[in-house]
Amino acid sequence: LVLLMVVPGLALFYGGMVRSKNVLSVIMQVLVVFSVVIILWMVYGYSAAFTEGNAFFGSFTEKAFLRGITPDTDAGGLPEFLFIVFQSTFAGITTALVVGSFAERIKFSAVLLFSVIWVTFAYLPMVHMVWSGEAGFLAHRGVIDFAGGTVVHINAGVAGLVGAYFLGKRLGYGREAIKPHNVPFTFIGAALLWVGWFGFNAGSALAADASASLAMINTMVATAAGVVAWSVVEAISKGRPSALGAASGAIAGLVGITPAAGSVGPMGALVIGLAAGAICVWAVTGLKRLLNADDSLDVFGVHGVGGIIGALLTGVFSDASLGGTGIDGSIGAQVWAQLFSVLFTIVWCAVVTAVAILVTKAVIGLRVTAEDERQGLDIVSHGESAYEH
């Protein structure tokens, strides 16, 4: 199901939002980045994320190349191979999410080198800090992140924003209309993401049990709320709701509920979905203008901001008095733990992303030439075009 979120889900979601001359380049980036990360996960990623090490990293060698793991090896009641392959898809989708910020102007080779560096030093340590057990830097502070608000969405969103600053704006950005070439593609992609997200959130219970059921109903409710909230806000602010907006609202709701899915009640999920859907409209319009970065497909506006909203509200609605499963201590203390994790993730990820971009720029260069950008990356990078003219 998480694979369904990426290929075809994310590929279509992103592919529909770019211009027709760049659609193949974006779906190719999503597919190949995902595939590269899967291989790295098996070589050293799983080991670095989920073995005991220090508070920030596991061991890069202890389970490298899946050493010592057999079909009978157990990991917390699951066959370890099952856990490894499930978590590999999270690493793949998180890294693939970032490419939406770079769309329509980055070299294909640059995307791949950046992704290798970024998954190693931004994603793997975040997984270790949040999900590897009590020794992890953020887990130790009591942060609640059921399926990846910090690990996946804020991480990818901040990377996208930082990357967009370094890459610079697309030619003509702000002066000419750069419109999605195929909104039905984006709609289908969003629909596939919603279906697949049940694997992402409910699957993070690692069992077919009450916790998975809670995550499942919350994922259903929050996403619907995100669609409605985005559509209503757009109707009020622009005079009419758009299909692109409704699809984006679904993603905002999904992102918002991700950290909270296993610890809030359905009514808490409703509020989180409404908040994420409504606020992310502003994030991709007003906030985007304030930040003055060409984040092509609004990775920060939807994943970054939606992830922040979800992470903070997790600290509120996980409280038993508001229908959640309960927290240790007060709502205030939990919200502070959530806020600390958000701020730490932003800083860690921004620094790693900047270094990864600078290394990539020094080794390969980042952007295609202006002439190549005008021609389109499908022909320039891959020698093919999506549509016969």
Side-chain angles (χ1 to χ4, degrees):
L1 282 165
V2 183
L3 175 63
L4 182 81
M5 293 168 68
V6 195
V7 200
L10 186 66
L12 285 170
F13 184 72
Y14 278 176
M17 283 198 278
V18 296
R19 289 166 289 184
S20 59
K21 62 185 179 180
N22 294 314
V23 56
L24 298 178
S25 76
V26 171
I27 62 178
M28 182 72 172
Q29 285 169 21
V30 169
L31 174 62
V32 178
V33 164
F34 181 81
S35 302
V36 167
V37 171
I38 296 294
I39 293 169
L40 295 179
W41 185 256
M42 305 305 168
V43 174
Y44 63 80
Y46 175 68
S47 184
F50 285 106
T51 57
E52 285 184 26
N54 54 41
F56 300 96
F57 279 97
S59 162
F60 275 86
T61 56
E62 186 181 322
K63 292 187 176 180
F65 298 96
L66 308 186
R67 187 166 66 194
I69 304 169
T70 71
D72 301 319
T73 315
D74 180 83
L78 292 175
E80 191 163 8
F81 279 147
L82 181 60
F83 181 68
I84 292 167
V85 77
F86 179 61
Q87 286 295 338
S88 75
T89 60
F90 278 68
I93 192 171
T94 306
T95 315
L97 280 173
V98 182
V99 307
S101 301
F102 306 158
E104 303 199 290
R105 63 201 187 279
I106 192 167
K107 293 178 179 177
F108 185 63
S109 54
V111 173
L112 297 183
L113 177 59
F114 168 81
S115 297
V116 169
I117 300 168
W118 189 85
V119 76
T120 305
F121 298 106
Y123 183 77
L124 298 180
M126 284 304 306
V127 174
H128 187 77
M129 285 186 256
V130 176
W131 288 337
S132 69
E134 284 302 304
F137 179 72
L138 293 174
H140 180 64
R141 282 165 170 71
V143 62
I144 301 172
D145 186 358
F146 187 73
T150 49
V151 177
V152 176
H153 298 293
I154 299 173
N155 208 2
V158 171
L161 182 63
V162 172
Y165 276 125
F166 276 97
L167 264 173
K169 296 172 181 165
R170 288 168 289 180
L171 296 176
Y173 180 79
R175 292 192 308 279
E176 59 190 62
I178 299 179
K179 292 183 174 175
H181 89 282
N182 193 327
V183 175
F185 268 16
T186 298
F187 178 87
I188 293 165
L192 289 164
L193 278 155
W194 190 350
V195 173
W197 221 291
F198 289 113
F200 199 81
N201 284 354
S204 290
L206 303 178
D209 59 8
S211 175
S213 304
L214 178 64
M216 191 159 190
I217 191 169
N218 286 341
T219 302
M220 187 66 93
V221 171
T223 314
V227 171
V228 172
W230 192 301
S231 299
V232 168
V233 169
E234 218 173 41
I236 293 167
S237 60
K238 296 181 180 174
R240 51 193 174 194
S242 69
L244 183 64
S248 301
I251 306 304
L254 285 160
V255 169
I257 197 59
T258 293
S263 61
V264 304
M267 295 307 106
L270 179 66
V271 177
I272 290 171
L274 290 170
I279 295 169
C280 286
V281 182
W282 167 75
V284 303
T285 51
L287 178 62
K288 189 173 185 176
R289 280 194 296 274
L290 287 173
L291 294 171
N292 195 29
D294 181 11
D295 173 358
S296 309
L297 309 182
D298 293 312
V299 182
F300 180 73
V302 175
H303 293 275
V305 174
I308 291 166
I309 293 162
L312 296 178
L313 292 181
T314 298
V316 177
F317 291 101
S318 295
D319 190 67
S321 68
L322 295 172
T325 57
I327 52 180
D328 297 329
S330 67
I331 290 178
Q334 188 63 50
V335 170
W336 166 245
Q338 300 300 110
L339 178 62
F340 178 84
S341 75
V342 166
L343 296 174
F344 179 85
T345 304
I346 290 170
V347 173
W348 180 285
C349 180
V351 171
V352 171
T353 303
V355 172
I357 287 273
L358 290 170
V359 170
T360 303
K361 188 175 183 179
V363 175
I364 292 176
L366 294 174
R367 279 186 82 134
V368 298
T369 65
E371 180 50 42
D372 285 353
E373 188 177 337
R374 284 190 194 94
Q375 191 177 352
L377 302 190
D378 291 1
I379 288 289
V380 168
S381 298
H382 308 293
E384 51 192 349
S385 53
Y387 308 101
E388 292 303 322
H389 294 294

